[in-house]
Amino acid sequence: MCGIFGAIARREGPLRHPDALPRMAAALRHRGPDGECIVGHERARIGARRLAIMDLTTGDQPFQSPDGKIWMVCNGEIYNAPELRREASAWRYPFRSHGDIETIVPFYDRFGPDAVARLEGMFGLAVWDETRRRLVLARDRAGEKPLFWTEVDGELRFASEIQALLEFPDQSRRLNRKALSLYHALGYVPAPYTMFDGIHKLPPASLLIAEGERTEIRPYWSAADAASRASPLSLEDTTGLRETLLRAVKRELMSDVPLGVFTSGGLDSSLLVAAAARAIPGERIHTYAVRFTESGYDESAYAEAVTHEIASVHHVVTADDESLGRALDVVAHTLAEPLGDPAVLPTWLLAEAARENVKVILSGEGADELFGGYPTYLGHKFAERWQRVPGPLRHAVRGAVNRWPSSTGKMTLEYMLKQFLSASERPWLERHLTWLGAMTIEHGVIAELAGKLDRFPPDDPLNRVMWFDFLTYLPDDLLVKVDRATMLASVEARAPFLDREVIELVLPGPSRFKVRGLTTKAILKEAARGLVPAAVINRRKRGLSVPVARWLNTGLAPLADRLLDTPLLAEHRSGRRNHARTLWPQLMLALWSERWGIDIR
């Protein structure tokens, strides 16, 4: 795990700002506090900041081919590296290290950019091929690891985070208006856009190949193709699913340093804890849970009950207004991209605490999108039935619910009913974005987002909502949240639910196996029986959330008053309606604008 960066001159002549490369490294120091190395010459330089996880003594990057013509840096882990190493060793490749990352070099040398399709893991990588003067960038299938790039006057530059690219004096800081419109609809910026005009996010499962004057971006794996295959899943026999999940966790436990698990007491993290305990019996696993001082948000007792089952070394991290405010300062002043997900704050607090004991954390991202875990999926399921209710009755119910006093609690019945009724009669995508807290939804944005599902099967509407979240919300919100929060604390996060085998097994599964009646994650719950306590399986999902609704009216009130100019804030303060889900992304956008000097008006 590390932060990677580089700059390539595509025309004759040297790099114009070679002194920016050390500054890029400094901007990414939090991603790799254990070392730094830059290689290259006057026309091409690549480098890495290292967080030592595997092969602590011989794993320093960049790696080079024996003839020195291929240079490679990679941020992430390659889980099938043992198989790749055995294959390359049969070719008599002279490895200089014992870890996972160097295995990329011989496969690129033999297969070129197509070698990336052989990799299984989480990664953002760059290969410079001196002979062909070719740069290859690639990201993993789900988008766990980030990679940004830009081209300025014939120089192509890349980095694990945007702020490293901003170290170049000739890098524009103009606002990307399309990205702003998407942020207003989503609360995050989806690939390939960023808020900076000219800086691009490489999409998941994609290659960028820059050779000569040509720049090509193409997929090496397709979620649509995976979703279109026949599904082997069965609710009656979940043995295959369970074995696949256990295998994924075992593969992602590879580490030469201590590791732990983020726990909430919910199904996803409890399954990870149980699977990890089974894979490494006798080893004490560190587990981490957040304790909110606001009782309606606190689930730490559930997490502690689960960890008692395996006798882990359990750590509880307190999230009160003071600690959350400290996390907000760190996030707002560090990230060069706005993220409207308040869960980044407790995630950073957990990672900060975890860094005292471990360098690697397992996290449950991906399970909700793959297995149908969100309450919004139930909402979509019942929206069509609601639309068949006579209009006068719907109007009467809506009026009665809207007169219900607003609550600042976590996922209250009042809040969920108001959210459901606010958009239940709209087209599915507009409905979905409204439920997620969209600020404004432009017609062009709807058309662009809907186009992401063009190649997916059309005959399972609820699965299409889950696929949409897998393509957008997962990589560009949840995985951004986890990557940035953990890396700010110099901790590596891994998501076993996003193992390729798991993804390809579950994506095509019928939605009736995932959302069954009022039960979400039905098939995952069946697979977890015997591994996870029944009380966990049957408990209603709550999710990691922050008491933003109350916080905006109390400790954050001065900041919100200064930065937010919207009538929603007054209505929120009055208690007539809980607008926290909409106001928080606006606040984060305003903080980003102020921090980076970007006019968003």
Side-chain angles (χ1 to χ4, degrees), residues 75-86:
N75 164 33
E77 306 291 346
I78 307 303
Y79 300 129
N80 65 332
E83 296 90 337
L84 298 178
R85 179 178 286 268
R86 284 193 293 271

Side-chain angles (χ1 to χ4, degrees), residues 18 128 222 247 251 295 311 347 402 425 467 524 587-588 592:
W128 172 247
S222 167
R247 190 161 54 245
R251 288 211 301 178
S295 59
T347 304
N402 284 336
E425 298 173 31
W467 293 332
L524 183 60
L587 181 64
M588 295 305 292
W592 172 83

